[in-house]
Amino acid sequence: MKLALFDDYRLGVVRSSPDGDVIVDVTAALPGPHDPDPVTAGWWRGLARDFDELSGALRAAAEDGRARPVSEVVLHAPVLGPSKVIAAASNYGEHVAEMHVVQERTLGRVEAWMMDFDVFLKAPSSIVGPGGRIVLPRDVVAAGHEVHHESELVVVIGRGGKDIPVEKAMDAVLGFTAGLDITVRSAADRSRRKSYDGFSPLGPYLVTTDELGDGSDLDIRLTSGGTVRQSVNTRDMLTPVPAIVAYASSVMTLLPGDVLFTGAPPGVGPITAGEQLEMSISGIGAMTVTVA
């Protein structure tokens, strides 16, 4: 199922049509009241936790409801109020290699600890949706630091858990979306450099695992002005999604609705004010964000 949040944070099911994507409002099929506040919307976390039980009602509502072109609605990031945004580091071999060059240029040295796979946190307030803006921070620009794009497959946690075995990891996952992990290249703390408002664009949709499996064969592509910046398949991940989820859960309890970036592919590079970044992942969709 392909889910979207739109307009007044309504829940929609998205389908493809010859004339483009269409969306059906299925909010009325939710078991409880709909809270449009994007911060306190407990219904979303309940949906993530109980999706298997609710999916039948959502499918029926999607079949019976009136479809509207997606172009007629305002899409938001397809997550609400996650307790945390987790991100994986150093998960593509070619990216690890290119980061030696980037660090030499931006820091004047290579920090070995940044080359190992691990997870770290980003602020949930950094999330924006399709069509959103990445605002380059004034202090970063004034200091002459580069700000880089990192296009990634993003996991949305379903029922979650603690110390989840790898073989059961996908049972804890609701689905996937596309994301940009925007990053300041400096010697500052990693979480600080990645947590400015607007530094986690997500969208356009959330696609459940019954459609995308474990996310191990998806094409990621990022362009700017028609120029391809990043192009990779998720089969090239050093640590696949089930192992990332299991590892993250060994560090912290994964709660329904949490978000997990799976690591940057090669091709990261600086962004500048005025450009538009177009990102797509096969099976999920495409989104555009503006750098300001």
Side-chain angles (χ1 to χ4, degrees), residues 105 133-137 140-141 145-150 180-185 198-199 201 222-224 229-230 267-278 289-292:
R105 185 181 74 246
R133 295 198 311 161
I134 302 166
V135 180
L136 302 177
V140 170
V141 174
H145 296 308
E146 294 182 2
V147 180
H148 282 205
H149 59 73
E150 299 183 3
L180 284 163
D181 178 14
I182 304 302
T183 304
V184 176
R185 298 298 181 202
F199 271 32
L222 178 73
T223 64
S224 177
R229 299 275 188 87
Q230 293 181 284
V268 302
I271 57 177
T272 57
E275 70 177 312
Q276 288 191 323
L277 304 177
E278 302 92 21
V289 293
T290 301
V291 184

mmCIF file of all heavy atoms in Angstrom, residues 105 133-137 140-141 145-150 180-185 198-199 201 222-224 229-230 267-278 289-292:
data_model
loop_
_atom_site.group_PDB
_atom_site.id
_atom_site.type_symbol
_atom_site.label_atom_id
_atom_site.label_comp_id
_atom_site.label_asym_id
_atom_site.label_seq_id
_atom_site.Cartn_x
_atom_site.Cartn_y
_atom_site.Cartn_z
ATOM 1 N N ARG A 105 39.452 17.810 1.933
ATOM 2 C CA ARG A 105 39.173 19.132 1.371
ATOM 3 C C ARG A 105 38.518 20.061 2.393
ATOM 4 O O ARG A 105 38.855 21.247 2.469
ATOM 5 C CB ARG A 105 38.267 18.993 0.146
ATOM 6 C CG ARG A 105 38.037 20.330 -0.579
ATOM 7 C CD ARG A 105 37.121 20.204 -1.774
ATOM 8 N NE ARG A 105 35.726 20.042 -1.356
ATOM 9 C CZ ARG A 105 35.001 18.969 -1.549
ATOM 10 N NH1 ARG A 105 35.552 17.900 -2.129
ATOM 11 N NH2 ARG A 105 33.742 18.907 -1.160
ATOM 12 N N ARG A 133 11.600 23.424 1.698
ATOM 13 C CA ARG A 133 12.831 24.190 1.473
ATOM 14 C C ARG A 133 13.925 23.718 2.419
ATOM 15 O O ARG A 133 13.675 23.422 3.578
ATOM 16 C CB ARG A 133 12.586 25.678 1.705
ATOM 17 C CG ARG A 133 11.626 26.329 0.733
ATOM 18 C CD ARG A 133 11.777 27.843 0.758
ATOM 19 N NE ARG A 133 11.769 28.379 2.125
ATOM 20 C CZ ARG A 133 12.234 29.593 2.451
ATOM 21 N NH1 ARG A 133 12.751 30.370 1.516
ATOM 22 N NH2 ARG A 133 12.178 30.019 3.696
ATOM 23 N N ILE A 134 15.127 23.657 1.884
ATOM 24 C CA ILE A 134 16.331 23.470 2.685
ATOM 25 C C ILE A 134 16.968 24.845 2.809
ATOM 26 O O ILE A 134 17.464 25.404 1.826
ATOM 27 C CB ILE A 134 17.306 22.500 2.007
ATOM 28 C CG1 ILE A 134 16.660 21.139 1.762
ATOM 29 C CG2 ILE A 134 18.578 22.359 2.825
ATOM 30 C CD1 ILE A 134 17.446 20.257 0.805
ATOM 31 N N VAL A 135 16.928 25.428 3.991
ATOM 32 C CA VAL A 135 17.469 26.771 4.196
ATOM 33 C C VAL A 135 18.894 26.650 4.714
ATOM 34 O O VAL A 135 19.138 26.078 5.775
ATOM 35 C CB VAL A 135 16.604 27.577 5.181
ATOM 36 C CG1 VAL A 135 17.199 28.972 5.381
ATOM 37 C CG2 VAL A 135 15.171 27.683 4.670
ATOM 38 N N LEU A 136 19.831 27.177 3.962
ATOM 39 C CA LEU A 136 21.234 27.146 4.375
ATOM 40 C C LEU A 136 21.412 28.057 5.594
ATOM 41 O O LEU A 136 21.113 29.250 5.525
ATOM 42 C CB LEU A 136 22.135 27.607 3.229
ATOM 43 C CG LEU A 136 22.027 26.792 1.930
ATOM 44 C CD1 LEU A 136 22.922 27.396 0.853
ATOM 45 C CD2 LEU A 136 22.382 25.330 2.166
ATOM 46 N N PRO A 137 21.900 27.516 6.717
ATOM 47 C CA PRO A 137 22.013 28.325 7.940
ATOM 48 C C PRO A 137 23.010 29.462 7.778
ATOM 49 O O PRO A 137 24.082 29.292 7.204
ATOM 50 C CB PRO A 137 22.503 27.312 8.983
ATOM 51 C CG PRO A 137 22.172 25.964 8.412
ATOM 52 C CD PRO A 137 22.299 26.121 6.925
ATOM 53 N N VAL A 140 26.516 28.836 9.153
ATOM 54 C CA VAL A 140 27.286 27.900 8.335
ATOM 55 C C VAL A 140 27.839 28.601 7.099
ATOM 56 O O VAL A 140 29.011 28.444 6.745
ATOM 57 C CB VAL A 140 26.399 26.704 7.933
ATOM 58 C CG1 VAL A 140 27.086 25.833 6.892
ATOM 59 C CG2 VAL A 140 26.044 25.877 9.174
ATOM 60 N N VAL A 141 26.986 29.393 6.447
ATOM 61 C CA VAL A 141 27.420 30.123 5.250
ATOM 62 C C VAL A 141 28.522 31.117 5.614
ATOM 63 O O VAL A 141 29.536 31.243 4.910
ATOM 64 C CB VAL A 141 26.218 30.842 4.606
ATOM 65 C CG1 VAL A 141 26.687 31.727 3.453
ATOM 66 C CG2 VAL A 141 25.190 29.824 4.106
ATOM 67 N N HIS A 145 31.490 26.926 5.440
ATOM 68 C CA HIS A 145 31.371 25.469 5.394
ATOM 69 C C HIS A 145 30.468 25.035 4.243
ATOM 70 O O HIS A 145 29.474 25.703 3.932
ATOM 71 C CB HIS A 145 30.779 24.939 6.704
ATOM 72 C CG HIS A 145 31.635 25.184 7.905
ATOM 73 N ND1 HIS A 145 32.970 24.835 7.960
ATOM 74 C CD2 HIS A 145 31.345 25.741 9.115
ATOM 75 C CE1 HIS A 145 33.461 25.165 9.141
ATOM 76 N NE2 HIS A 145 32.505 25.712 9.859
ATOM 77 N N GLU A 146 30.800 23.903 3.637
ATOM 78 C CA GLU A 146 29.941 23.326 2.606
ATOM 79 C C GLU A 146 28.753 22.610 3.250
ATOM 80 O O GLU A 146 28.862 22.035 4.335
ATOM 81 C CB GLU A 146 30.724 22.318 1.757
ATOM 82 C CG GLU A 146 31.828 22.935 0.930
ATOM 83 C CD GLU A 146 32.551 21.903 0.076
ATOM 84 O OE1 GLU A 146 32.163 20.717 0.100
ATOM 85 O OE2 GLU A 146 33.506 22.285 -0.625
ATOM 86 N N VAL A 147 27.607 22.639 2.554
ATOM 87 C CA VAL A 147 26.429 21.858 2.942
ATOM 88 C C VAL A 147 26.175 20.855 1.828
ATOM 89 O O VAL A 147 26.080 21.239 0.659
ATOM 90 C CB VAL A 147 25.198 22.758 3.161
ATOM 91 C CG1 VAL A 147 23.984 21.913 3.560
ATOM 92 C CG2 VAL A 147 25.487 23.809 4.231
ATOM 93 N N HIS A 148 26.078 19.570 2.168
ATOM 94 C CA HIS A 148 26.000 18.510 1.169
ATOM 95 C C HIS A 148 24.643 17.815 1.172
ATOM 96 O O HIS A 148 23.962 17.734 2.198
ATOM 97 C CB HIS A 148 27.073 17.451 1.439
ATOM 98 C CG HIS A 148 28.438 17.862 1.003
ATOM 99 N ND1 HIS A 148 29.428 16.963 0.672
ATOM 100 C CD2 HIS A 148 28.993 19.093 0.814
ATOM 101 C CE1 HIS A 148 30.525 17.609 0.319
ATOM 102 N NE2 HIS A 148 30.283 18.904 0.404
ATOM 103 N N HIS A 149 24.289 17.297 0.001
ATOM 104 C CA HIS A 149 23.113 16.431 -0.145
ATOM 105 C C HIS A 149 23.532 14.975 0.030
ATOM 106 O O HIS A 149 24.628 14.574 -0.368
ATOM 107 C CB HIS A 149 22.472 16.603 -1.522
ATOM 108 C CG HIS A 149 23.399 16.292 -2.673
ATOM 109 N ND1 HIS A 149 23.787 15.011 -3.012
ATOM 110 C CD2 HIS A 149 24.021 17.114 -3.555
ATOM 111 C CE1 HIS A 149 24.603 15.046 -4.051
ATOM 112 N NE2 HIS A 149 24.772 16.312 -4.408
ATOM 113 N N GLU A 150 22.657 14.186 0.647
ATOM 114 C CA GLU A 150 22.848 12.737 0.763
ATOM 115 C C GLU A 150 21.475 12.090 0.574
ATOM 116 O O GLU A 150 20.619 12.172 1.448
ATOM 117 C CB GLU A 150 23.428 12.357 2.136
ATOM 118 C CG GLU A 150 24.793 12.959 2.420
ATOM 119 C CD GLU A 150 25.372 12.508 3.765
ATOM 120 O OE1 GLU A 150 24.726 11.671 4.439
ATOM 121 O OE2 GLU A 150 26.457 12.993 4.129
ATOM 122 N N LEU A 180 16.377 12.902 2.159
ATOM 123 C CA LEU A 180 17.654 13.588 1.978
ATOM 124 C C LEU A 180 18.217 13.905 3.353
ATOM 125 O O LEU A 180 17.560 14.568 4.167
ATOM 126 C CB LEU A 180 17.467 14.882 1.179
ATOM 127 C CG LEU A 180 17.256 14.718 -0.324
ATOM 128 C CD1 LEU A 180 16.681 15.978 -0.933
ATOM 129 C CD2 LEU A 180 18.570 14.361 -0.997
ATOM 130 N N ASP A 181 19.402 13.393 3.627
ATOM 131 C CA ASP A 181 20.102 13.676 4.877
ATOM 132 C C ASP A 181 21.058 14.825 4.585
ATOM 133 O O ASP A 181 22.203 14.611 4.174
ATOM 134 C CB ASP A 181 20.840 12.418 5.345
ATOM 135 C CG ASP A 181 21.647 12.643 6.614
ATOM 136 O OD1 ASP A 181 21.427 13.670 7.280
ATOM 137 O OD2 ASP A 181 22.508 11.799 6.925
ATOM 138 N N ILE A 182 20.592 16.057 4.787
ATOM 139 C CA ILE A 182 21.404 17.232 4.470
ATOM 140 C C ILE A 182 22.430 17.431 5.590
ATOM 141 O O ILE A 182 22.117 17.316 6.774
ATOM 142 C CB ILE A 182 20.509 18.473 4.320
ATOM 143 C CG1 ILE A 182 19.434 18.225 3.255
ATOM 144 C CG2 ILE A 182 21.345 19.695 3.958
ATOM 145 C CD1 ILE A 182 19.969 17.870 1.879
ATOM 146 N N THR A 183 23.668 17.745 5.189
ATOM 147 C CA THR A 183 24.785 17.667 6.114
ATOM 148 C C THR A 183 25.743 18.843 5.954
ATOM 149 O O THR A 183 26.162 19.154 4.841
ATOM 150 C CB THR A 183 25.582 16.363 5.867
ATOM 151 O OG1 THR A 183 24.698 15.241 5.970
ATOM 152 C CG2 THR A 183 26.713 16.215 6.849
ATOM 153 N N VAL A 184 26.082 19.475 7.067
ATOM 154 C CA VAL A 184 27.150 20.471 7.070
ATOM 155 C C VAL A 184 28.485 19.747 7.205
ATOM 156 O O VAL A 184 28.647 18.884 8.072
ATOM 157 C CB VAL A 184 26.980 21.461 8.238
ATOM 158 C CG1 VAL A 184 28.156 22.443 8.281
ATOM 159 C CG2 VAL A 184 25.661 22.216 8.120
ATOM 160 N N ARG A 185 29.458 20.070 6.351
ATOM 161 C CA ARG A 185 30.783 19.484 6.447
ATOM 162 C C ARG A 185 31.658 20.380 7.330
ATOM 163 O O ARG A 185 32.142 21.419 6.892
ATOM 164 C CB ARG A 185 31.411 19.339 5.060
ATOM 165 C CG ARG A 185 30.655 18.432 4.119
ATOM 166 C CD ARG A 185 30.600 17.008 4.639
ATOM 167 N NE ARG A 185 29.873 16.142 3.706
ATOM 168 C CZ ARG A 185 29.306 15.002 4.037
ATOM 169 N NH1 ARG A 185 29.363 14.572 5.286
ATOM 170 N NH2 ARG A 185 28.666 14.284 3.142
ATOM 171 N N GLY A 198 14.692 21.698 8.272
ATOM 172 C CA GLY A 198 14.684 21.479 6.829
ATOM 173 C C GLY A 198 15.736 20.507 6.344
ATOM 174 O O GLY A 198 15.799 20.215 5.147
ATOM 175 N N PHE A 199 16.555 19.960 7.245
ATOM 176 C CA PHE A 199 17.664 19.098 6.832
ATOM 177 C C PHE A 199 17.276 17.621 6.686
ATOM 178 O O PHE A 199 18.154 16.791 6.459
ATOM 179 C CB PHE A 199 18.830 19.230 7.812
ATOM 180 C CG PHE A 199 19.799 20.339 7.456
ATOM 181 C CD1 PHE A 199 19.371 21.494 6.831
ATOM 182 C CD2 PHE A 199 21.158 20.222 7.752
ATOM 183 C CE1 PHE A 199 20.264 22.504 6.502
ATOM 184 C CE2 PHE A 199 22.066 21.223 7.417
ATOM 185 C CZ PHE A 199 21.615 22.370 6.794
ATOM 186 N N PRO A 201 14.363 16.279 4.400
ATOM 187 C CA PRO A 201 13.205 16.154 3.521
ATOM 188 C C PRO A 201 12.807 14.686 3.344
ATOM 189 O O PRO A 201 13.670 13.824 3.110
ATOM 190 C CB PRO A 201 13.693 16.754 2.198
ATOM 191 C CG PRO A 201 14.860 17.621 2.573
ATOM 192 C CD PRO A 201 15.510 16.912 3.727
ATOM 193 N N LEU A 222 19.361 11.102 -7.696
ATOM 194 C CA LEU A 222 19.257 12.515 -7.338
ATOM 195 C C LEU A 222 19.796 13.352 -8.480
ATOM 196 O O LEU A 222 20.905 13.101 -8.972
ATOM 197 C CB LEU A 222 20.043 12.817 -6.057
ATOM 198 C CG LEU A 222 20.025 14.296 -5.618
ATOM 199 C CD1 LEU A 222 18.661 14.661 -5.049
ATOM 200 C CD2 LEU A 222 21.116 14.580 -4.604
ATOM 201 N N THR A 223 19.015 14.340 -8.910
ATOM 202 C CA THR A 223 19.453 15.243 -9.962
ATOM 203 C C THR A 223 19.260 16.686 -9.511
ATOM 204 O O THR A 223 18.472 16.978 -8.610
ATOM 205 C CB THR A 223 18.677 15.028 -11.283
ATOM 206 O OG1 THR A 223 17.291 15.354 -11.069
ATOM 207 C CG2 THR A 223 18.788 13.585 -11.744
ATOM 208 N N SER A 224 19.983 17.574 -10.160
ATOM 209 C CA SER A 224 19.807 19.011 -9.950
ATOM 210 C C SER A 224 19.974 19.691 -11.298
ATOM 211 O O SER A 224 21.025 19.561 -11.929
ATOM 212 C CB SER A 224 20.827 19.552 -8.956
ATOM 213 O OG SER A 224 20.688 20.961 -8.816
ATOM 214 N N ARG A 229 23.395 13.685 -9.875
ATOM 215 C CA ARG A 229 24.361 13.810 -8.783
ATOM 216 C C ARG A 229 24.629 12.452 -8.119
ATOM 217 O O ARG A 229 25.753 12.155 -7.740
ATOM 218 C CB ARG A 229 23.831 14.784 -7.731
ATOM 219 C CG ARG A 229 23.599 16.209 -8.235
ATOM 220 C CD ARG A 229 24.869 17.033 -8.180
ATOM 221 N NE ARG A 229 24.617 18.425 -8.487
ATOM 222 C CZ ARG A 229 24.243 19.341 -7.584
ATOM 223 N NH1 ARG A 229 24.072 18.985 -6.313
ATOM 224 N NH2 ARG A 229 24.049 20.589 -7.943
ATOM 225 N N GLN A 230 23.566 11.674 -7.931
ATOM 226 C CA GLN A 230 23.704 10.368 -7.292
ATOM 227 C C GLN A 230 22.833 9.356 -8.021
ATOM 228 O O GLN A 230 21.704 9.669 -8.405
ATOM 229 C CB GLN A 230 23.305 10.428 -5.812
ATOM 230 C CG GLN A 230 24.240 11.268 -4.962
ATOM 231 C CD GLN A 230 23.842 11.295 -3.498
ATOM 232 O OE1 GLN A 230 22.911 11.975 -3.115
ATOM 233 N NE2 GLN A 230 24.574 10.544 -2.677
ATOM 234 N N GLY A 267 28.481 9.969 -4.360
ATOM 235 C CA GLY A 267 28.036 11.107 -5.159
ATOM 236 C C GLY A 267 27.591 12.295 -4.342
ATOM 237 O O GLY A 267 27.020 13.239 -4.878
ATOM 238 N N VAL A 268 27.840 12.297 -3.024
ATOM 239 C CA VAL A 268 27.452 13.441 -2.210
ATOM 240 C C VAL A 268 28.232 14.664 -2.686
ATOM 241 O O VAL A 268 29.322 14.555 -3.235
ATOM 242 C CB VAL A 268 27.715 13.180 -0.711
ATOM 243 C CG1 VAL A 268 26.971 11.941 -0.244
ATOM 244 C CG2 VAL A 268 29.188 13.048 -0.407
ATOM 245 N N GLY A 269 27.625 15.837 -2.472
ATOM 246 C CA GLY A 269 28.295 17.052 -2.906
ATOM 247 C C GLY A 269 27.576 18.282 -2.410
ATOM 248 O O GLY A 269 26.476 18.199 -1.851
ATOM 249 N N PRO A 270 28.181 19.451 -2.588
ATOM 250 C CA PRO A 270 27.626 20.685 -2.038
ATOM 251 C C PRO A 270 26.364 21.140 -2.758
ATOM 252 O O PRO A 270 26.172 20.879 -3.946
ATOM 253 C CB PRO A 270 28.768 21.691 -2.227
ATOM 254 C CG PRO A 270 29.593 21.137 -3.339
ATOM 255 C CD PRO A 270 29.492 19.650 -3.243
ATOM 256 N N ILE A 271 25.497 21.808 -2.006
ATOM 257 C CA ILE A 271 24.295 22.423 -2.561
ATOM 258 C C ILE A 271 24.403 23.932 -2.377
ATOM 259 O O ILE A 271 25.083 24.414 -1.466
ATOM 260 C CB ILE A 271 23.011 21.891 -1.892
ATOM 261 C CG1 ILE A 271 23.043 22.097 -0.369
ATOM 262 C CG2 ILE A 271 22.834 20.412 -2.208
ATOM 263 C CD1 ILE A 271 21.766 21.653 0.342
ATOM 264 N N THR A 272 23.742 24.666 -3.263
ATOM 265 C CA THR A 272 23.807 26.123 -3.230
ATOM 266 C C THR A 272 22.410 26.703 -3.336
ATOM 267 O O THR A 272 21.495 26.094 -3.902
ATOM 268 C CB THR A 272 24.670 26.660 -4.384
ATOM 269 O OG1 THR A 272 24.140 26.192 -5.631
ATOM 270 C CG2 THR A 272 26.112 26.190 -4.249
ATOM 271 N N ALA A 273 22.257 27.900 -2.791
ATOM 272 C CA ALA A 273 20.958 28.559 -2.799
ATOM 273 C C ALA A 273 20.459 28.748 -4.227
ATOM 274 O O ALA A 273 21.226 29.108 -5.124
ATOM 275 C CB ALA A 273 21.057 29.904 -2.092
ATOM 276 N N GLY A 274 19.173 28.483 -4.427
ATOM 277 C CA GLY A 274 18.547 28.674 -5.726
ATOM 278 C C GLY A 274 18.369 27.414 -6.525
ATOM 279 O O GLY A 274 17.571 27.384 -7.467
ATOM 280 N N GLU A 275 19.090 26.343 -6.187
ATOM 281 C CA GLU A 275 18.931 25.118 -6.969
ATOM 282 C C GLU A 275 17.794 24.264 -6.421
ATOM 283 O O GLU A 275 17.403 24.376 -5.257
ATOM 284 C CB GLU A 275 20.229 24.328 -7.032
ATOM 285 C CG GLU A 275 20.688 23.673 -5.748
ATOM 286 C CD GLU A 275 21.954 22.859 -5.963
ATOM 287 O OE1 GLU A 275 21.996 22.067 -6.922
ATOM 288 O OE2 GLU A 275 22.903 23.019 -5.159
ATOM 289 N N GLN A 276 17.280 23.405 -7.293
ATOM 290 C CA GLN A 276 16.261 22.442 -6.924
ATOM 291 C C GLN A 276 16.835 21.038 -6.999
ATOM 292 O O GLN A 276 17.503 20.685 -7.974
ATOM 293 C CB GLN A 276 15.037 22.552 -7.841
ATOM 294 C CG GLN A 276 14.199 23.805 -7.602
ATOM 295 C CD GLN A 276 12.876 23.743 -8.342
ATOM 296 O OE1 GLN A 276 12.813 23.229 -9.461
ATOM 297 N NE2 GLN A 276 11.830 24.261 -7.734
ATOM 298 N N LEU A 277 16.576 20.252 -5.973
ATOM 299 C CA LEU A 277 17.024 18.869 -5.928
ATOM 300 C C LEU A 277 15.827 17.974 -6.199
ATOM 301 O O LEU A 277 14.795 18.090 -5.537
ATOM 302 C CB LEU A 277 17.618 18.534 -4.558
ATOM 303 C CG LEU A 277 18.768 19.418 -4.068
ATOM 304 C CD1 LEU A 277 19.181 18.995 -2.670
ATOM 305 C CD2 LEU A 277 19.943 19.366 -5.021
ATOM 306 N N GLU A 278 15.986 17.102 -7.201
ATOM 307 C CA GLU A 278 14.925 16.145 -7.533
ATOM 308 C C GLU A 278 15.417 14.753 -7.152
ATOM 309 O O GLU A 278 16.413 14.275 -7.687
ATOM 310 C CB GLU A 278 14.580 16.196 -9.020
ATOM 311 C CG GLU A 278 14.132 17.567 -9.529
ATOM 312 C CD GLU A 278 15.267 18.413 -10.067
ATOM 313 O OE1 GLU A 278 16.327 17.854 -10.425
ATOM 314 O OE2 GLU A 278 15.105 19.644 -10.096
ATOM 315 N N VAL A 289 12.780 19.424 -3.800
ATOM 316 C CA VAL A 289 12.937 20.411 -2.746
ATOM 317 C C VAL A 289 13.843 21.530 -3.244
ATOM 318 O O VAL A 289 14.652 21.319 -4.151
ATOM 319 C CB VAL A 289 13.506 19.797 -1.445
ATOM 320 C CG1 VAL A 289 12.525 18.832 -0.821
ATOM 321 C CG2 VAL A 289 14.840 19.116 -1.700
ATOM 322 N N THR A 290 13.680 22.702 -2.663
ATOM 323 C CA THR A 290 14.418 23.888 -3.098
ATOM 324 C C THR A 290 15.432 24.290 -2.033
ATOM 325 O O THR A 290 15.141 24.256 -0.839
ATOM 326 C CB THR A 290 13.453 25.052 -3.346
ATOM 327 O OG1 THR A 290 12.502 24.662 -4.342
ATOM 328 C CG2 THR A 290 14.186 26.291 -3.822
ATOM 329 N N VAL A 291 16.622 24.686 -2.483
ATOM 330 C CA VAL A 291 17.644 25.184 -1.580
ATOM 331 C C VAL A 291 17.525 26.713 -1.525
ATOM 332 O O VAL A 291 17.481 27.371 -2.555
ATOM 333 C CB VAL A 291 19.060 24.789 -2.043
ATOM 334 C CG1 VAL A 291 20.102 25.236 -1.027
ATOM 335 C CG2 VAL A 291 19.142 23.289 -2.257
ATOM 336 N N ALA A 292 17.455 27.236 -0.315
ATOM 337 C CA ALA A 292 17.241 28.693 -0.134
ATOM 338 C C ALA A 292 18.314 29.269 0.779
ATOM 339 O O ALA A 292 18.975 28.542 1.519
ATOM 340 C CB ALA A 292 15.856 28.946 0.446
#
